[in-house]
């Protein structure tokens, strides 16, 4: 869960304005079948997507959660609480309330609240393909790019010499080493991401660690608190910055941002099937030297 407001992203703390919760079901449960559905759709026309829960419970028109509260005027629009009812009223329900015939599906016609909610998408899950060596053409192109970069760096270095004359040699050497290390980490990140540029989530529970965008602000083991059950938390997945391209939050001076969001969860997967347990999230931003 995260706020859409850019001001919240300046909050202190390892996770910034983010909160992450875990809920899980055993393979045999009362909600979903034990075996996954077939990948191929059944023959015949596609069924209409359900707009209500099978139990008939109404859903909030703003957030989609259970809506025990309803509009006192039309008695059909459902809400989870007074805050979302007031929000929907200001954003258009006041004009449509009571104007629909009895057969219309007003309660299920979910409006868009883009100023409040992120857009909803389907996530496709695929294994990451192994990295293949580049062909000779890529090598030649890479050599040309390296030559150009070296020349540009040389020109920039010559132009900036005068500006750094006041710094002693030890300070300059430390700055150069730091920039080189950061550049290597960021270049490694870009190279790995280039293989799957649309990837928004990297999942690898208990295996390979996160793909960091910077050498700065990485958590140490002591920074990751144990679960409430006492078990250690381990890396499960990370949310990539490519997701920002789909969230419709690119507003001048108000855009939210992150380098990567890393989620750690209970190694023992504690908890029952009817509760949400809060887990730990770490927000890493881009280094100032990354370009």
């Amino acid at each position: 869960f995260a706020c859409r407001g850019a001001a919240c992203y300046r909050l202190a703390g390892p996770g910034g304005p983010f909160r992450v919760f875990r809920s899980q079901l055993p393979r045999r449960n009362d909600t979903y079948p034990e075996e996954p559905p077939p990948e191929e759709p059944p023959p015949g026309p596609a069924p209409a997507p359900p707009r209500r829960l099978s139990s008939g419970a109404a859903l909030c028109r703003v957030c989609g959660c259970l809506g025990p509260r309803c509009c006192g005027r039309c008695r059909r629009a459902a809400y989870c609480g007074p805050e979302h009812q007031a929000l929907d009223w200001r954003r258009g329900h006041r004009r449509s309330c009571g104007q629909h015939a009895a057969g219309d599906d007003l309660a299920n016609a979910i409006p868009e609240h883009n100023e409040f909610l992120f857009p909803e998408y389907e996530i496709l899950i695929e294994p990451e393909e192994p990295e293949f060596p580049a062909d000779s053409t890529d090598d030649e192109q890479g050599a040309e790019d390296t030559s150009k970069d070296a020349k540009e760096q040389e020109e920039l270095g010559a132009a900036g010499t005068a500006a750094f004359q006041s710094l002693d040699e030890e300070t300059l050497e430390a700055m150069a080493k730091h920039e080189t290390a950061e550049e290597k980490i960021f270049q490694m990140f870009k190279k790995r991401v280039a293989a799957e540029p649309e990837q928004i989530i990297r999942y690898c529970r208990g295996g390979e660690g996160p793909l960091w965008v910077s050498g700065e602000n990485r958590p140490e083991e002591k920074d990751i608190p144990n679960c409430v059950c006492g078990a250690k938390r381990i890396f499960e997945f990370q949310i990539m910055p490519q997701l920002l391209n789909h969230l419709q939050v690119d507003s001048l001076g108000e855009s939210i941002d992150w380098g990567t969001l890393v989620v750690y969860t209970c190694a023992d997967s504690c908890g029952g099937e009817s509760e949400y347990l809060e887990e730990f999230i770490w927000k890493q931003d881009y280094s100032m030297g990354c370009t």
Side-chain angles (χ1 to χ4, degrees), residues 43-273:
R51 293 189 171 184
R52 277 180 176 266
L53 298 177
S54 57
S55 63
L59 303 180
C60 175
R61 282 166 48 87
V62 175
C63 66
C65 295
L66 290 176
R69 187 185 184 97
C70 67
C71 173
R73 183 178 177 186
C74 66
R75 308 296 299 178
R76 300 173 66 197
Y79 302 98
C80 63
E83 293 84 2
H84 286 184
Q85 182 176 359
L87 176 65
D88 191 41
W89 181 261
R90 294 194 304 268
R91 295 293 179 177
H93 184 60
R94 67 169 67 176
R95 295 187 296 273
S96 60
C97 182
Q99 296 179 4
H100 295 259
D104 290 344
D105 204 6
L106 171 65
N108 290 316
I110 306 300
E112 291 187 359
H113 286 281
N114 292 334
E115 79 289 344
F116 179 76
L117 300 176
F118 293 119
E120 187 174 336
Y121 299 95
E122 177 185 8
I123 299 178
L124 302 180
I125 304 174
E126 296 178 352
E128 188 175 59
E129 295 294 333
E131 187 175 358
F132 295 98
D135 56 26
S136 58
T137 303
D138 291 339
D139 290 340
E140 293 171 2
Q141 183 64 41
E144 292 177 6
D145 292 342
T146 303
S147 177
K148 291 179 181 178
D149 290 343
K151 186 176 181 180
E152 290 176 359
Q153 290 293 334
E154 185 178 347
E155 293 174 352
L156 288 172
T161 301
F164 290 104
Q165 284 180 348
S166 60
L167 298 177
D168 60 84
E169 185 176 344
E170 185 178 347
T171 303
L172 288 172
E173 188 67 24
M175 291 173 60
K177 287 181 179 179
H178 176 75
E179 290 177 358
T180 301
E182 279 299 309
E183 287 174 0
K184 287 182 178 179
I185 294 171
F186 186 61
Q187 291 302 324
M188 186 183 301
F189 176 83
K190 291 203 300 182
K191 181 180 178 182
R192 190 70 176 270
V193 169
E196 297 289 344
E198 296 299 318
Q199 186 180 58
I200 61 170
I201 290 179
R202 292 178 59 85
Y203 181 92
C204 189
R205 187 170 194 268
E208 181 183 353
L211 182 61
W212 298 105
V213 300
S214 170
E216 302 174 353
N217 191 32
R218 291 191 190 185
E220 299 180 7
E221 187 173 351
K222 62 180 178 60
D223 297 322
I224 304 171
N226 291 342
C227 180
V228 291
C229 72
K232 293 184 63 175
R233 284 192 172 101
I234 59 174
F235 167 66
E236 180 155 347
F237 68 93
Q238 67 184 113
I239 301 174
M240 307 297 283
Q242 289 88 317
L243 181 61
L244 290 165
N245 296 331
H246 306 284
L247 295 185
Q248 301 176 10
V249 291
D250 189 12
S251 178
L252 185 62
E254 298 179 358
S255 295
I256 64 177
D257 194 18
W258 64 75
T260 188
L261 304 173
V262 185
V263 175
Y264 297 86
T265 59
C266 177
D268 292 343
S269 299
C270 70
E273 59 182 86

